[in-house]
C-alpha cells in the first residue's frame, strides 16, 4: 500500500479505486504464482491503455506538426508508442520498483525488462482512464510520454540522427556490432555496441537487434554531446 501511494505521487494522480492501480502493476507471473484468478493481471488494462495512448499521441502530433503529412505522423507515432520508447519513458517513474512480479521474473531481471515496463505503463494509463476518465489519462500521457518531446525524439530517432551526424562530422563508417546474445528464442536479449571508424561508443540491450541498436545509438549521441562540452 505504501509503495502504491509513493507511485501515485510519482505519476501525479491519486486513484479513487486503488484496486485498479494494483492490477495495473501486477504481472501475469505474480498473478499465476499467487493463484489470483483469471484476469487479475494487467494484460486487459494494457490493451485499453494502448488504445488511449494511441489517440492521445495522435492528437498531440496532429496539433504540434500541422505541416507534416499523414505518413510522417504515422511514423512518428509508431516510434513514440513502441516498446523501447515506452520503457525509456518509465525511467523517471522508476516503474520497475513498483511492479508485482513472480519469483522467476524477479530473479531473471524482470524489473528492468523493456517489454514488462512498457506493458505496465500502458496498463497504468488504462487504469487511470477507468478511474478518472479520458482527461486524467490524457494528462498522464502528456506528463510521462510527451513531456520533453525534443529529448524523446532524440531517443526514438537516434539511429537516423547518429547516421546523419557521422556522415556530416566524423570520418569512417558507423556500424553496430553484436557483443552478446543470450536467452531462449522466445525471450532473447541482445547486447549491441555502436562503433564509429572502428572506435567503440555506446552500448544498448533489447529483445531484438533493432531495439538494441536504437539504445546504442542514443547512448552514443549522449557520449558525443558530452565530449563537445
Amino acid at each position: 500500500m505504501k509503495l502504491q501511494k509513493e507511485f501515485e505521487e510519482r505519476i501525479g494522480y491519486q486513484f479513487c479505486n486503488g484496486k485498479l492501480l494494483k492490477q495495473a502493476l501486477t504481472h501475469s507471473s505474480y498473478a499465476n504464482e499467487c493463484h489470483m484468478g483469471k484476469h487479475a493481471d494487467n494484460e486487459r488494462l494494457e490493451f485499453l491503455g494502448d488504445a488511449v495512448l494511441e489517440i492521445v499521441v495522435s492528437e498531440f502530433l496532429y496539433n504540434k506538426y500541422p505541416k507534416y503529412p499523414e505518413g510522417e505522423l504515422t511514423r512518428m507515432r509508431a516510434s513514440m508508442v513502441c516498446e523501447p520508447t515506452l520503457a525509456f519513458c518509465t525511467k523517471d517513474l522508476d516503474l520497475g520498483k513498483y511492479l508485482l512480479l513472480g519469483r522467476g521474473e524477479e530473479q531473471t531481471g524482470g524489473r528492468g525488462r523493456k517489454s514488462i515496463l512498457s506493458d505496465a505503463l500502458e496498463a497504468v494509463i488504462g487504469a487511470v482512464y477507468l478511474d478518472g476518465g479520458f482527461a486524467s489519462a490524457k494528462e498522464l500521457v502528456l506528463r510521462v510520454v510527451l513531456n520533453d518531446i525534443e529529448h524523446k525524439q532524440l531517443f526514438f530517432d537516434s539511429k537516423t540522427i547518429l547516421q546523419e551526424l557521422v556522415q556530416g562530422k566524423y570520418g569512417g563508417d558507423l556500424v553496430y556490432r553484436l557483443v552478446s546474445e543470450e536467452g531462449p528464442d522466445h525471450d532473447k536479449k541482445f547486447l549491441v555496441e555502436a562503433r564509429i571508424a572502428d572506435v567503440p561508443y555506446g552500448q544498448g540491450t533489447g529483445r531484438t537487434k533493432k531495439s538494441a541498436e536504437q539504445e546504442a545509438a542514443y547512448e552514443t549521441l549522449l557520449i558525443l554531446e558530452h565530449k563537445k562540452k
Side-chain angles (χ1 to χ4, degrees), residues 18 30 150 158 161 217:
Y30 183 90
E150 286 76 18
S158 54
I161 294 170

Side-chain angles (χ1 to χ4, degrees), residues 18 36 38-39 41 55 58 60-61 70 102 130 142 144 150 185:
M36 294 174 68
K38 198 172 183 180
H39 306 319
D41 59 39
I55 186 63
S58 298
F60 175 85
L61 294 175
E70 179 266 347
L130 290 179
L142 290 172
V144 174
E150 286 76 18
D185 288 341

Side-chain angles (χ1 to χ4, degrees), residues 187-205:
D187 191 21
K188 285 283 188 187
K189 181 180 179 182
F190 297 94
L191 174 62
V192 168
E193 179 179 73
R195 302 176 74 93
I196 300 172
D198 210 32
V199 177
Y201 283 86
Q203 292 190 340
T205 60

Side-chain angles (χ1 to χ4, degrees), residues 176 192-194 202-204 211-221:
Y176 296 95
V192 168
E193 179 179 73
Q203 292 190 340
S211 65
E213 288 172 358
Q214 180 185 5
E215 189 171 284
Y218 174 71
E219 293 297 331
T220 299
L221 286 169

Side-chain angles (χ1 to χ4, degrees), residues 10 42 53 85 97 119 137 148 151-152 172 175 184 205 215:
R10 281 188 174 272
N42 63 8
L53 176 66
T85 303
K97 172 183 175 182
D119 290 349
D148 193 11
H151 189 222
K152 297 282 171 58
V175 297
T205 60
E215 189 171 284

Side-chain angles (χ1 to χ4, degrees), residues 100-217:
L100 297 173
L101 299 177
R103 285 190 294 271
E105 284 293 347
E106 181 83 60
Q107 292 167 1
T108 56
R111 292 192 187 278
R113 187 166 293 136
K114 293 183 180 72
S115 58
I116 292 177
L117 291 170
S118 62
D119 290 349
L121 179 57
E122 289 181 332
V124 169
I125 293 168
V128 170
Y129 171 77
L130 290 179
D131 191 76
F134 181 76
S136 296
K138 178 180 178 179
E139 188 178 329
L140 176 64
V141 173
L142 290 172
R143 186 163 52 245
V144 174
V145 180
L146 298 173
N147 67 322
D148 193 11
I149 189 64
E150 286 76 18
H151 189 222
K152 297 282 171 58
Q153 191 166 358
L154 177 65
F155 177 76
F156 62 72
D157 277 344
S158 54
K159 288 184 71 176
T160 301
I161 294 170
L162 181 59
Q163 184 66 53
E164 291 173 352
L165 184 64
V166 169
Q167 289 175 346
K169 293 187 177 181
Y170 296 88
D173 295 328
L174 167 65
V175 297
Y176 296 95
R177 186 175 72 85
L178 180 63
V179 177
S180 67
E181 175 183 337
E182 58 186 51
D185 288 341
H186 68 277
D187 191 21
K188 285 283 188 187
K189 181 180 179 182
F190 297 94
L191 174 62
V192 168
E193 179 179 73
R195 302 176 74 93
I196 300 172
D198 210 32
V199 177
Y201 283 86
Q203 292 190 340
T205 60
R207 289 201 302 168
T208 66
K209 290 179 183 177
K210 186 177 179 181
S211 65
E213 288 172 358
Q214 180 185 5
E215 189 171 284

Side-chain angles (χ1 to χ4, degrees), residues 21-109:
L21 176 56
K22 182 179 179 180
Q23 184 179 356
L25 298 173
T26 300
H27 188 256
S28 57
S29 62
Y30 183 90
N32 293 335
E33 198 172 278
C34 297
H35 308 290
M36 294 174 68
K38 198 172 183 180
H39 306 319
D41 59 39
N42 63 8
E43 290 178 0
R44 280 170 53 84
L45 285 174
E46 174 204 337
F47 163 80
L48 181 60
D50 175 65
V52 174
L53 176 66
E54 186 150 314
I55 186 63
V56 174
V57 171
S58 298
E59 181 191 39
F60 175 85
L61 294 175
Y62 181 86
N63 291 326
K64 185 172 178 63
Y65 303 104
K67 295 182 180 180
Y68 280 20
E70 179 266 347
E72 180 64 13
L73 292 173
T74 299
R75 184 198 67 79
M76 288 188 71
R77 182 181 63 193
S79 297
M80 295 180 74
V81 301
C82 70
E83 178 185 299
T85 303
L86 291 180
F88 177 73
C89 292
T90 68
K91 288 185 176 181
D92 289 341
L93 302 176
D94 198 12
L95 179 55
K97 172 183 175 182
Y98 304 97
L99 296 176
L100 297 173
L101 299 177
R103 285 190 294 271
E105 284 293 347
E106 181 83 60
Q107 292 167 1
T108 56

